[in-house]
Every structure is written in structure tokens, then in C-alpha cells.
Amino acid sequence: MAVLCKPAIAVPEYVITQDDTLELAQRLHKDHSQLRLVLRLIEHTGVLKRHLIQPIDKVLKHPGLDARNAVYEQESKARVPAVVRTALDQAELEPQQIDLIVYVSCTGFMMPALSSWLINTLGFRPETRQMPIAQLGCAAGGAAVNRAHDFCTAYPDANVLIVACEFCSLCYQPTDLGVGSLLSNGLFGDAVAAAVVRGDGGAGISLERNGSYLIPNTEDWISYAVRSTGFHFQLDKRVPGTMKPLAPALRAMAEQHEWNAGDLDFYIVHAGGPRILDDLCHFLDVPPEAFRFSRATLTEYGNIASAVVLDALGRMFEEDSALDGQRGLLAGFGPGITAEISLGTWTSAPVPAR
């Protein structure tokens, strides 16, 4: 059975607090007709601080798409390797034992993907397969877990490395003044995360079933407008209400597994914002504490896109409260509107000696 092992997470050194964000919004957009609404929405995100790969004065400048993408490549190469090494150590594996790298990122572009550079740099075998995922946005963390599970189902002795590299600050657009864009400026943060799915052995979530669900005709609710200035994030005001149609999809998949989605032992879900979590509590009929790991990620790091589910899972490992056999759900939500859903059982079985 494929096991999702303890993730490794790193956030950059530059910090912006909610107070900093509110002050910037008031200073930069003092004549905005909906400034009061924007400030209220930012306050209600629950994001107390975020981490950035550059000082805020550099983030606020737009040197052009080519310059930003150069920063993306430079910073990813500087920050990803240490996180990958930690994830491998926590799974008690060496680079040569990895059969597939799933690399997810929606905040910069490289071809070939960073996974090629990782193979050449960190000692992975030339035969290591690659699966870059660039266009699932925040849902890609869940998709990466699911594709790793699929691969280990097809190749039971295989091991998969998942890497999520999200530098959301590189998508800041100073000319985007819609309420959704200004809210996003106070919501998203930067982070790198990695985790290993072991086909044999390992401690963590023993993956049992996965699935995907797309809400019909919502593909323009979360999107990028790709322009000469780069990626312009577009967020429809209806997005916070998407848990009403998605919660039944979570319930349906759990029922296929003869589980009750409202009666599980742990939940690791994408924290797009506080209403997402509040609505899931309501529609799944679970207490707010069920999403404590996701809420902590949102509070301390903001929305770190595809890395959220890995960071929330890392917090569950750190709490060290899960017991063998406990059942849980992992889900990422993103453009489409898409949900990527996993079901699994906790196992603390020791990793076999190599």
C-alpha cells in the first residue's frame, strides 16, 4: 500500500504581517472606491503573516515577465534542494530510490521543468520519470498525491517524490485593482514543500482511494489571464461558496469507500480562505477543530497554493496525535473548479531497514 510520508516545508525569510498589508493597501489605494470593503476582507482572511522570497519593496515593483521568471528559476534552484533532501531523509530513502518526481507549481515557468535540474543535481537516476503539473493551481497539491498513488498502484515497489514550489508574490500585478485582486494581495504567500509516497514501507497516510470532481461551467471562476506582463490572477466572487457543491463530492467518494465523510479522524484540506473551512465544517457536519491544521497554515503562512496540503499534513505529523488505523481525507481545491480528493488510513509502521 502506498504511504504518504512526512512532508518537508520551508518558507522564505522575508515576512509581511496583516498590519503591514493593511497599511500598504491604505497607502497604495487610498482613493479606491471600495477600499473599506477590501480592508475588511483582508482582515477576515485570518492571515496574520506571510513569507516572501523578496523584500516587499521589490515585490511591489514589476520589472517585467522575463525578469520575474528569472527570479523564479534562481529562487527555486536555491530553495528546493534542501527541502527535497529533508523529505527524502524523513522517508528514509536516497535519491536513487525515487522512480518518479511530480513537480507542481503555478507561479513561474521553466522548460524543461525543475524536475530535470533536480535529477541532474541531486543524484537521481537518469531513468527517473517526471510529471510536471502547472495548471491546476491550488488543487495541484492534492493532484500530486493522487498521481503518486496511481503510480505506486501500477508499480507497487516504486517510490514517488512530490515537490511543490510556489512563489505567489511573483504574480503581484500593481495595475490589477479589482476587489478580488486586492484581496489576493493580502492572502497569498510563498513556500516550498516536498513529500515522498513510498510504494512499500513508510509511516504516514496509507493511501486507499482517490478521485477528482469538477464543478461544471466554473472554469472562469479561478483563472490566469496571461498577458505580456505575466500572470494576472482572476478570482470570481462566487468562489467562497464552492464548498456547497463540492462537499457532496467528498461525501460521495467516501461512501464509495464505505466511509462517512463527516465521521473521519483527520482532515487535510486546502485552506483557500476561512469561509472554505467554515463551510466545510457546516456541510460535512464536523467541528471547527477538524480543520485545525489547515487553519494554522492559513494563519501563519497564508494561502501557499499547492503547498497548503503538504504543510497542513506536516502539522499533523508534528502534533503526533494520530493513531494506527485512524481514517482521514486529504483534498486540494483549485481552478476548474476542481477538487482532488484522497482517502487513507494512518499507519505508524516503522520503515523497513534497507
Side-chain angles (χ1 to χ4, degrees):
M1 190 73 73
V3 172
L4 175 58
C5 300
K6 183 178 181 179
I9 298 95
V11 290
E13 60 273 25
Y14 300 103
V15 176
I16 181 169
T17 66
Q18 186 181 82
D19 288 342
D20 296 333
T21 301
L22 292 169
E23 187 277 327
L24 277 171
Q26 289 175 306
R27 176 160 52 88
L28 296 175
H29 309 293
K30 59 180 181 294
D31 298 323
H32 196 286
S33 62
Q34 295 180 286
L35 179 60
R36 286 188 178 181
L37 172 62
V38 170
L39 296 177
R40 186 167 70 250
L41 290 173
I42 291 174
E43 286 179 332
H44 289 168
T45 61
V47 178
L48 297 186
K49 67 177 177 68
R50 295 170 291 146
H51 292 253
L52 311 172
I53 58 170
Q54 301 179 106
I56 188 61
D57 59 326
K58 285 192 175 181
V59 171
L60 294 176
K61 295 175 182 176
H62 196 328
L65 175 58
D66 53 347
R68 279 189 168 176
N69 213 58
V71 173
Y72 173 85
E73 180 173 351
Q74 175 185 338
E75 293 294 332
S76 60
K77 288 180 176 179
R79 299 176 186 273
V80 168
V83 179
V84 166
R85 291 189 186 99
T86 301
L88 290 171
D89 288 346
Q90 289 173 170
E92 298 199 4
L93 292 177
E94 300 294 335
Q96 297 84 359
Q97 295 171 281
I98 296 296
D99 301 284
L100 167 69
I101 298 175
V102 183
Y103 178 79
V104 298
S105 181
C106 64
T107 51
F109 183 80
M110 291 172 62
M111 191 170 74
L114 189 77
S115 50
S116 296
W117 180 84
L118 290 171
I119 290 171
N120 288 319
T121 305
L122 298 186
F124 295 94
R125 291 177 290 114
E127 296 84 5
T128 307
R129 303 181 209 195
Q130 303 174 64
M131 185 185 294
I133 302 177
Q135 292 158 298
L136 277 175
C138 297
V145 172
N146 290 349
R147 300 297 76 79
H149 181 199
D150 293 343
F151 189 82
C152 290
T153 300
Y155 304 96
D157 295 327
N159 300 305
V160 181
L161 171 68
I162 296 168
V163 181
C165 179
E166 300 291 13
F167 301 147
C168 301
S169 62
L170 293 177
C171 297
Y172 170 73
Q173 297 289 350
T175 59
D176 289 355
L177 302 178
V179 171
S181 296
L182 296 182
L183 170 61
S184 299
N185 294 342
L187 183 61
F188 287 92
D190 300 344
V192 175
V196 170
V197 174
R198 290 187 56 133
D200 180 45
I205 299 178
S206 181
L207 301 169
E208 299 181 22
R209 181 184 288 267
N210 74 66
S212 181
Y213 183 81
L214 183 143
I215 306 175
N217 304 314
T218 57
E219 65 268 24
D220 58 345
W221 289 20
I222 301 175
S223 63
Y224 274 166
V226 183
R227 302 173 185 151
S228 59
T229 46
F231 304 141
H232 291 252
F233 184 67
Q234 300 178 133
L235 183 68
D236 190 280
K237 64 182 180 182
R238 292 170 288 186
V239 168
T242 49
M243 291 305 104
K244 184 174 183 178
L246 283 182
L250 302 183
R251 284 193 176 277
M253 203 181 92
E255 287 169 3
Q256 292 170 12
H257 206 54
E258 299 184 350
W259 289 3
N260 178 355
D263 187 28
L264 300 178
D265 300 297
F266 61 86
Y267 298 84
I268 304 295
V269 300
H270 175 72
R275 184 176 167 187
I276 298 294
L277 301 176
D278 292 342
D279 280 4
L280 267 184
C281 286
H282 172 71
F283 292 117
L284 294 182
D285 192 22
V286 298
E289 184 180 318
F291 300 116
R292 62 191 180 278
F293 307 116
S294 301
R295 290 185 190 277
T297 297
L298 186 65
T299 298
E300 296 180 25
Y301 294 160
N303 184 338
I304 49 175
S306 65
V308 167
V309 291
L310 296 180
D311 181 74
L313 177 60
R315 294 171 188 273
M316 180 176 166
F317 270 91
E318 291 298 327
E319 187 180 87
D320 195 24
S321 60
L323 302 174
D324 274 344
Q326 288 189 329
R327 303 171 302 169
L329 176 149
L330 182 149
F333 311 121
I337 299 290
T338 302
E340 288 283 344
I341 313 158
S342 301
L343 299 176
T345 302
W346 188 263
T347 176
S348 55
V351 177
R354 285 171 288 169

